[in-house]
């Protein structure tokens, strides 16, 4: 999960409360170590290592300022078309930059080279971002007592039409809603 997003959820000491799903432990790491794993964005394609980290960093850098502006203004009204596009690309990239997504790829076809699959996803990013950009966007707000939480899959998809069918989740599917918590009290919907 990008550090600039994690920092929005930090406590007054700059650290995050993190719940470990595998061990039920609550820890308080810095944003740098809260949701990171060494070489997570390193894949193997045709037997050779290929890194996606630099690519993701460019996307994060482009989206960080517009997301900070949304939080400061508590509004989407000030977004320019370019800022909205930067956030759409960020959302699209975050949707496949997760452990769950990669595990799903492995389960679908264990013979597929994960690096090659990630490379294909990378080249589909403009198409995914266009789908995200065409959606109706809204800013959801809550009070601190009913906080939004940020997980290891920052973009959450859910289907209102078929809530029990997780295989039918995608930006192009009717009835699928996407959420991106931006802070404890704001989420992009």
């Amino acid at each position: 999960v990008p550090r600039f997003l994690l920092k929005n959820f930090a406590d007054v000491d700059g650290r995050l409360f993190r719940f470990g799903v595998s061990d039920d432990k609550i820890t308080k790491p810095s944003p740098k170590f809260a949701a990171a794993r060494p070489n997570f964005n390193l894949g193997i394609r045709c037997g050779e290592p290929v890194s996606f980290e630099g690519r993701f960093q460019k996307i994060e850098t482009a989206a960080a300022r517009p997301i900070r502006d949304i939080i400061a203004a508590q509004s989407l009204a000030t977004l320019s078309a370019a800022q909205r596009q930067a956030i759409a690309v960020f959302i699209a990239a975050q949707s496949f930059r997760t452990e769950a997504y990669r595990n799903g790829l492995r389960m679908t076809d264990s013979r597929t080279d994960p690096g090659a699959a990630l490379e294909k996803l990378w080249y589909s990013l403009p198409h995914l971002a266009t789908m995200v950009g065409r959606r109706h966007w809204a800013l959801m707000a809550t009070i601190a007592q009913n906080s939004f939480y940020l997980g290891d899959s920052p973009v959450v998809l859910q289907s209102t039409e078929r809530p029990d069918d997780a295989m039918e989740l995608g930006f192009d599917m009717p009835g699928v809603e996407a959420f991106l918590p931006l802070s404890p009290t704001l989420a992009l919907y």
Side-chain angles (χ1 to χ4, degrees), residues 5-6 12 15 18 26 34 46 64 75 77 95 128 134 145 149 160 167 177 188:
L5 198 55
L6 288 168
V12 294
R15 295 179 168 274
R18 179 178 67 187
I26 296 174
C46 302
S75 173
S95 71
L128 285 172
R134 286 185 184 149
Q145 292 85 347
Y149 294 94
T160 53
M167 296 305 291
E177 300 169 320
L188 185 57

Side-chain angles (χ1 to χ4, degrees), residues 79-94:
L79 284 181
S80 69
Q83 289 173 318
R84 184 177 165 110
Q85 177 63 20
I87 294 170
V89 171
F90 176 76
I91 290 170
Q94 289 305 307

Side-chain angles (χ1 to χ4, degrees), residues 167-182:
M167 296 305 291
E168 293 295 324
L169 293 177
F171 294 118
D172 60 340
M173 302 300 295
V176 171
E177 300 169 320
F179 301 87
L180 172 63
L182 303 176

Side-chain angles (χ1 to χ4, degrees), residues 130-174:
T130 297
M131 283 190 270
V132 172
R134 286 185 184 149
R135 289 177 160 259
H136 296 286
W137 291 20
L139 192 61
M140 298 173 67
T142 188
I143 57 174
Q145 292 85 347
N146 297 327
S147 297
F148 293 117
Y149 294 94
L150 189 63
D152 57 358
S153 295
V155 176
V156 179
L157 300 177
Q158 74 174 19
S159 175
T160 53
E161 292 183 8
R162 290 184 241 153
D164 296 331
D165 193 356
M167 296 305 291
E168 293 295 324
L169 293 177
F171 294 118
D172 60 340
M173 302 300 295

